[in-house]
Amino acid sequence: QLPGKKDLFIEADLMSPLDRIANISILKHEVDKLYKVESRPALSTSDQFCFLVRPRIKTMRYIADIVNADKMSGRSRKYKIIFSPQKFYACEMVLEEEGVFGDVTCDEWSFYLLPLDEDIISMELPEFFRDYFLEGDHRWINSVARALQLLNSLYGPFGKAYGIGRCAKMSYELWRDLEEESEGDGQGRKPEIGNIFLMDRDTDYVTALCSQVVYEGLVDDTFRIKCGSVDFGPDVTSSDKSIKVLLNAQDKVFSQIRNEHFSSVFGFLSQKSRNLQAQYDRRRSMDIKQMKNFVSQELKGLKQEHRLLSLHIGACESIMKKKTKQDFQEMIKAEHSLLEGFDIRESTSFIEEHIDRQVSPIESLRLMCLLSITENGLIPKDYRSLKTQYLQSYGPEHLLTFHNLKRIGLLTEQSAGETLTAVESKVSKLVTDRAAGKITDAFNSLARKSNFRAISKKLGLIPRVDGEYDLKMPRDMAYVFSGAYIPLSCKIIEQVLERRGWLGLEEVVRLLNGNEFSISGSASAGLGAGGPGAGGSDSTLPLLDSTVEDNPAWESQRIVLAVFLGGCTFSEIAALRFLGKERGCKFIFLTTAITNSARMMEAMIEAKA
């Protein structure tokens, strides 16, 4: 729509998603120069500037500066702003305030969904987490609703909808409104997705804060997987250059180890390399004809597999080196103690030592948050002491970080009296203040009633194991955390699908602050709302039942769209893939972005521009 020579400015965050769907030659159609937004353009001869951006206020000011600078120097050009995934009113307001609204034309590129793999779709909106859960900014809810509308038009109406969390509820309701307005494009279609489950990230922060130990999660924690691909540096490639590798089901090696516990991966890779060697060795006993077939049909595949194998072995070695240096085993032990609620004092000392040794500001913060959430807040003495040590170790600029973490509920301080029973308060009043402090401390560990502890008990998140937990042949989803903890988010999804609603989970819902819904609707009719457990009494078989026959009507019942609002980790994906295999259903993941503990902490540290 913008013929002629032009300069194109692309927002940095859009580079990776664009890379997955369009190569640079497509984007350079009649484009003279390509710039990254934020870099000042050199003197340009183009008469047109095109900006492909996220709807952010900071970016609007950047564009306004360029337009105003041109006006000052008497240069006249055409300016077009393309917002992705959609335009927000606030952006237009800023352009108006800056006096350039009349000089630019605006458009939208509805790029809501990026398939990262055959079962993972991402909206690539990492800022969703901070904007909604910290700032209380609801603007992205519209994008989620539109993304659901798009899926609905492609795959027909969703059979049953479940969800928990305020954001999940609002997104679902807005999507229903959009459906009614548009008369539903997908209504005539045969439903292909039987169940949809929406979940807010704040329903389960614990899982996102834990160290990941499945291979894909570890690769993400160590090297950062960006938009489904990862940059392996010289330490992995054993050459002097880095390689960008796409990690998905097409990678024959990766697809077999991605969901495995790290301890099983080395064994698998060495077995794989022996098999490859055996296939190479076959050629020694071949005649000319067989050799010709081998070269034309198999050799290319074997070489490709060999290249991938050596990359993943290099990645494993690099992970091992880094983790050994970081006392990974000690850290995992401390995390498991926090999850189980044992040796809290010891774990607190471990965190203090971590801070004092200045191991890593992100890791120290993560461990403090894990301690706070599992213990339902820190006792004031511990909170003050850890905060002081952290600020002295990593700098006073983190005062804002503590403020953010408190606001979002990741690192909180128990209010006085919260931890004491009536008898204990009376006892402490009788004793002098100094001694009372000691008594209070002693009672604290006994009297603290944490939501996480209560939920964990109710849902059996800490498996009771006799002897060693077998990580090679896992029995349940706990294998993604070495058998120590079943991810809360995945357990909720399992329970609700099994019960076909929230019936019997009232206590858990209360501990999770409610906002749950369960709506069953026939494929053609609009969805009739229901309270907890609505639709639990229909005559269909329970979803998580592997006896379902192989007929097309049942096929859609087996598909579950799990929607994570605020990000989803590779550990949760691995756990639900395992559950799907066990119960004969298939999970498709839709997330606002892939997340992990470091990304969550960074979102709290960054000051909002």
Side-chain angles (χ1 to χ4, degrees), residues 59 120 266 284 426 576:
T59 317
I120 306 174
F266 261 127
R284 295 211 177 111
K426 277 191 185 126
L576 287 173

Side-chain angles (χ1 to χ4, degrees), residues 273-290:
S273 60
R274 283 198 291 277
N275 295 354
L276 260 185
Q277 195 54 53
Q279 282 176 286
Y280 271 128
D281 291 346
R282 273 181 26 234
R283 65 191 171 180
R284 295 211 177 111
S285 54
M286 287 178 183
D287 57 27
I288 296 288
K289 191 173 176 208
Q290 288 169 322

Side-chain angles (χ1 to χ4, degrees), residues 86-100:
Q86 63 188 102
K87 180 174 66 183
F88 289 131
Y89 176 64
C91 295
E92 294 185 333
M93 287 290 294
V94 173
L95 293 171
E96 211 168 318
E97 276 168 21
E98 300 283 340
V100 297

Side-chain angles (χ1 to χ4, degrees), residues 255-445:
S255 61
Q256 289 173 288
I257 54 175
R258 65 191 312 177
N259 303 318
E260 294 299 315
H261 187 275
F262 191 62
S263 60
S264 327
V265 172
F266 261 127
F268 174 84
L269 291 175
S270 59
Q271 182 57 49
K272 188 94 180 154
S273 60
R274 283 198 291 277
N275 295 354
L276 260 185
Q277 195 54 53
Q279 282 176 286
Y280 271 128
D281 291 346
R282 273 181 26 234
R283 65 191 171 180
R284 295 211 177 111
S285 54
M286 287 178 183
D287 57 27
I288 296 288
K289 191 173 176 208
Q290 288 169 322
M291 182 62 95
K292 190 177 168 193
N293 281 344
F294 176 76
V295 171
S296 64
Q297 287 162 18
E298 290 178 49
L299 191 62
K300 194 175 171 204
L302 287 178
K303 278 191 163 159
Q304 169 71 347
E305 214 164 313
H306 183 254
R307 189 183 74 89
L308 292 170
L309 193 61
S310 62
L311 276 175
H312 288 297
I313 290 173
C316 282
E317 286 171 344
S318 179
I319 289 170
M320 287 288 281
K321 262 189 219 137
K322 285 182 178 136
K323 295 301 178 193
T324 320
K325 220 162 71 190
Q326 290 171 352
D327 296 339
F328 194 55
Q329 290 313 113
E330 285 294 298
M331 182 123 72
I332 295 277
K333 209 176 108 194
E335 280 180 34
H336 290 178
S337 299
L338 293 176
L339 292 167
E340 290 162 21
F342 296 137
D343 303 334
I344 297 302
R345 271 280 141 247
E346 250 173 70
S347 302
T348 310
S349 308
F350 175 81
I351 296 171
E352 286 180 333
E353 188 191 326
H354 199 275
I355 294 170
D356 296 341
R357 280 172 41 215
Q358 298 183 324
V359 182
S360 138
I362 296 280
E363 286 291 297
S364 299
L365 215 48
R366 173 180 79 81
L367 289 166
M368 282 157 63
C369 291
L370 198 55
L371 172 67
S372 167
I373 283 191
T374 50
E375 290 293 289
N376 206 13
L378 300 176
I379 51 177
K381 192 180 79 157
D382 281 354
Y383 180 82
R384 283 195 298 274
S385 149
L386 284 168
K387 182 175 173 179
T388 306
Q389 289 178 66
Y390 190 92
L391 294 172
Q392 285 170 348
S393 257
Y394 298 118
E397 65 275 14
H398 285 288
L399 265 167
L400 182 61
T401 308
F402 279 89
H403 171 72
N404 289 343
L405 289 167
K406 201 168 200 169
R407 237 172 93 186
I408 203 169
L410 276 168
L411 184 55
T412 57
E413 184 179 7
Q414 290 173 2
S415 50
E418 206 176 294
T419 51
L420 298 180
T421 62
V423 177
E424 287 154 15
S425 342
K426 277 191 185 126
V427 170
S428 59
K429 279 196 184 81
L430 300 174
V431 193
T432 62
D433 274 356
R434 233 173 112 187
K438 284 187 184 141
I439 287 184
T440 310
D441 270 357
F443 278 124
N444 259 338
S445 52

Side-chain angles (χ1 to χ4, degrees), residues 72-86:
M72 295 280 287
S73 60
R75 180 93 174 80
S76 90
R77 294 186 225 263
K78 269 188 183 166
Y79 308 95
K80 185 182 183 75
I81 305 174
I82 303 170
F83 293 97
S84 171
Q86 63 188 102

